[in-house]
Every structure is written in structure tokens, then in C-alpha cells.
């Protein structure tokens, strides 16, 4: 089980986690990257699930970066490795700062400050850092010299 799946399971627990997995499977099999997700009510009816539980699952998919809630009633399915639209400024800025030497090798990334600078929730900063991890610009170290953090490679 992936880290995000374990966190989701612990965060939601029981029935909510089951609903989440059903909604996630529906999104992955019924929509291509770039497609708009149908209305929450329509997805709930199609799956035979409670509207509020489906809305919560969709919000979790947004947090995980599997789809983007761009504005009310506009939800876009994201492809694997696609940067969430709200994360683009943070990802681009951190990438540029690393390349410019503003963040040096081995330095812990100031995720709290970045979250405040870009008005992102800590979970969304984590989501954005995942892209920089996959690019090899950061590494996640739970026992790093400055504690658990993302470190510049």
C-alpha cells in the first residue's frame, strides 16, 4: 500500500475509505486526464453513494493531486505526474531557487514558509514537493539532520 493510501485510510477510516476507493476507481476508469469530472450529484447517483461522502472523496483526490478542483463545480482529472494547477507557482519557484543556489545542497526546504508564501495548506505543499522529489531535486528524509523534512539534493 502506498504512503498516500495509508494516510488516506488512517485519515478517513472505515466506510469513508471504502467510498474513497470506489470514487477513485471510478475517476481512474471513466475519465481521461484533462477531462472534466461530472457533477458530484451525478457521480454519487452513478455509484449509489451518499453525496457528502463522494464530495469528501473528491476533495481528498484533489489533495492527493489526482484531480484539481479549479473552482466550484469545475474538477479536472489530472494525469500521472501532472502538477496540480495550484502547485505550479511553488514548484517553479523552488526549482528556480535550487538552480540559482538560493537553496543549497543538504538544506532542509522551508515548507512552512513556502506554504505561507504561496497560501497552500501543508498537505498541498507536500503534494507539490512530490513533483520535485520525482525530478530528483529533493529527497525526503524522516531522520535528517534537521529532523523530518525535504532536503535539497
Amino acid at each position: 500500500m502506498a504512503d498516500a493510501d495509508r494516510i488516506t485510510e488512517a485519515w478517513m477510516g472505515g466506510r469513508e475509505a471504502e467510498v474513497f476507493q470506489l470514487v477513485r476507481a471510478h475517476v481512474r476508469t471513466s475519465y481521461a486526464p484533462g477531462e472534466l469530472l461530472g457533477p458530484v450529484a451525478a457521480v454519487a447517483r452513478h455509484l449509489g453513494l451518499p453525496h457528502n461522502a463522494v464530495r469528501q472523496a473528491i476533495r481528498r483526490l484533489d489533495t492527493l493531486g489526482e484531480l484539481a478542483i479549479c473552482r466550484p463545480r469545475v474538477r479536472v482529472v489530472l494525469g500521472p505526474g501532472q502538477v496540480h494547477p495550484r502547485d505550479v507557482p511553488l514548484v517553479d519557484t523552488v526549482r528556480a531557487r535550487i538552480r540559482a543556489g538560493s537553496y543549497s545542497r543538504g538544506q532542509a526546504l522551508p515548507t512552512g514558509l513556502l506554504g505561507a508564501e504561496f497560501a497552500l495548506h501543508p498537505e498541498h505543499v507536500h503534494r507539490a514537493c512530490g513533483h520535485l522529489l520525482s525530478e530528483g531535486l529533493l529527497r525526503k528524509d524522516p531522520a535528517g539532520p534537521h529532523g523530518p523534512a525535504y532536503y535539497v539534493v
Side-chain angles (χ1 to χ4, degrees), residues 73-143:
R73 299 189 181 110
V74 178
R75 298 163 201 88
V76 179
V77 177
L78 300 176
Q82 186 177 354
V83 179
H84 193 289
R86 285 192 309 265
D87 299 346
V88 170
L90 183 144
V91 170
D92 289 347
T93 299
V94 170
R95 189 183 297 122
R97 288 176 183 172
I98 290 171
R99 291 186 177 139
S102 299
Y103 297 140
S104 57
R105 168 174 259 137
Q107 179 180 350
L109 197 67
T111 54
L113 293 174
L114 289 167
E117 180 179 346
F118 292 94
L120 292 173
H121 188 276
E123 285 184 323
H124 300 157
V125 173
H126 175 73
R127 175 184 66 203
C129 287
H131 295 287
L132 297 163
L133 281 169
S134 67
E135 291 178 21
L137 295 173
L138 298 178
R139 68 180 167 80
K140 187 175 179 179
D141 190 346

Side-chain angles (χ1 to χ4, degrees), residues 20-60:
F20 171 77
Q21 292 302 334
L22 289 169
V23 172
R24 178 190 245 177
H26 172 70
V27 169
R28 287 181 173 175
T29 59
S30 301
Y31 297 89
E35 274 191 85
L36 296 178
L37 184 67
V40 174
V43 173
R45 264 192 316 276
H46 177 77
L47 297 173
L49 296 169
H51 182 271
N52 286 336
V54 170
R55 182 182 18 241
Q56 183 181 15
I58 288 171
R59 285 186 184 142
R60 186 66 184 159

